[in-house]
Amino acid sequence: NAGVTQTPKFRVLKTGQSMTLLCAQDMNHEYMYWYRQDPGMGLRLIHYSVGEGTTAKGEVPDGYNVSRLKKQNFLLGLESAAPSQTSVYFCASSYGSSPYQNIQYFGAGTRLSVL
Amino acid sequence: AQSVSQHNHHVILSEAASLELGCNYSYGGTVNLFWYVQYPGQHLQLLLKYFSGDPLVKGIKGFEAEFIKSKFSFNLRKPSVQWSDTAEYFCAVNGPGGADGLTFGKGTHLIIQP
């Protein structure tokens, strides 16, 4: 049971390049989340999904797009990367929305540098 | 919007010292409260959680936290820390809706000196 798997683990981009981060979970979780972690800022929610085919904006959605075509996968896209998007990106998933179901399980993170 | 404040950004303790990390949240309604830990180079792991009931909750590795509703606080404690507790600690909250993600504090970097 792998839990939440993120690929890639590291990536370096040039300004203006695009890329997609993949998050996969094998726990049959309904809800999935993308956060970014910056020094001194904690984690901030970028986008989330409450089920296959749904997405919603979080606290810091600008510059990112997401898709949830399959229940187990949640993709985070950067169409035109900017240095301000240099960060560590974490994906998380949870079973449902009630308190005991909404415990979030996190992936290992993707460290992205935009030059 | 919810907000979470962690009072100590960097804490340095010696082994066997007692630990208390402060956490205050802004939301006045029903909340779910969490402490997560991130060991160096690893992903976030859940230390403990509070949903309802006994305000003193116990988590893994000897950690506990007390929910004080009147103070909007959820402080993390450990009576005697170990070198292996060196990590980043995050307090987080979500509202009754639950599904719309967690609001995290900025984290506390804890260093335990042998």
Side-chain angles (χ1 to χ4, degrees):
Chain A
N1 188 342
V4 179
T5 303
Q6 292 183 232
T7 53
K9 289 184 169 52
F10 303 95
R11 186 72 186 268
V12 178
L13 291 178
K14 294 181 180 179
T15 298
Q17 287 185 316
S18 63
M19 78 162 294
T20 300
L21 281 67
L22 171 64
C23 177
Q25 52 92 5
D26 61 2
M27 297 176 282
N28 199 34
H29 283 174
E30 202 67 37
Y31 298 167
M32 296 186 75
Y33 309 84
W34 275 107
Y35 296 88
R36 59 177 288 173
Q37 182 183 27
D38 301 294
M41 297 293 293
L43 279 79
R44 293 179 292 169
L45 183 66
I46 305 171
H47 285 280
Y48 64 100
S49 167
V50 300
E52 182 178 317
T54 74
T55 63
K57 294 180 180 180
E59 180 186 354
V60 288
D62 294 341
Y64 305 96
N65 56 75
V66 287
S67 64
R68 184 98 180 269
L69 299 179
K70 294 182 179 181
K71 184 177 182 178
Q72 63 267 35
N73 295 337
F74 194 30
L75 279 63
L76 177 71
L78 287 73
E79 290 187 349
S80 179
S84 61
Q85 294 178 304
T86 294
S87 188
V88 181
Y89 292 86
F90 286 99
C91 177
S93 70
S94 66
Y95 187 72
S97 62
S98 66
Y100 284 94
Q101 293 179 330
N102 197 240
I103 295 172
Q104 295 186 22
Y105 297 86
F106 285 80
T110 295
R111 187 173 295 275
L112 175 66
S113 293
V114 183
L115 306 177
Chain B
Q2 299 169 0
S3 66
V4 177
S5 297
Q6 291 184 238
H7 313 301
N8 314 99
H9 297 302
H10 297 278
V11 175
I12 302 175
L13 295 173
S14 299
E15 277 194 313
S18 64
L19 170 71
E20 180 160 2
L21 301 182
C23 173
N24 287 90
Y25 61 94
S26 63
Y27 184 65
T30 301
V31 291
N32 303 316
L33 296 156
F34 307 84
W35 276 97
Y36 279 87
V37 60
Q38 186 178 30
Y39 297 105
Q42 297 188 27
H43 62 282
L44 276 77
Q45 302 173 40
L46 181 66
L47 262 183
L48 46 77
K49 60 191 182 294
Y50 173 80
F51 299 144
S52 63
D54 188 343
L56 185 62
V57 292
K58 295 189 184 300
I60 61 172
K61 304 188 179 186
F63 286 91
E64 63 179 31
E66 184 175 13
F67 169 58
I68 303 179
K69 188 175 181 179
S70 61
K71 295 184 178 181
F72 297 91
S73 71
F74 189 55
N75 292 353
L76 180 71
R77 300 194 293 247
K78 186 171 185 179
S80 177
V81 294
Q82 300 172 314
W83 177 78
S84 58
D85 293 324
T86 294
E88 190 96 19
Y89 292 81
F90 294 96
C91 181
V93 60
N94 66 9
D100 54 350
L102 293 168
T103 299
F104 283 85
K106 294 183 178 182
T108 297
H109 188 201
L110 175 66
I111 296 174
I112 307 300
Q113 296 177 331

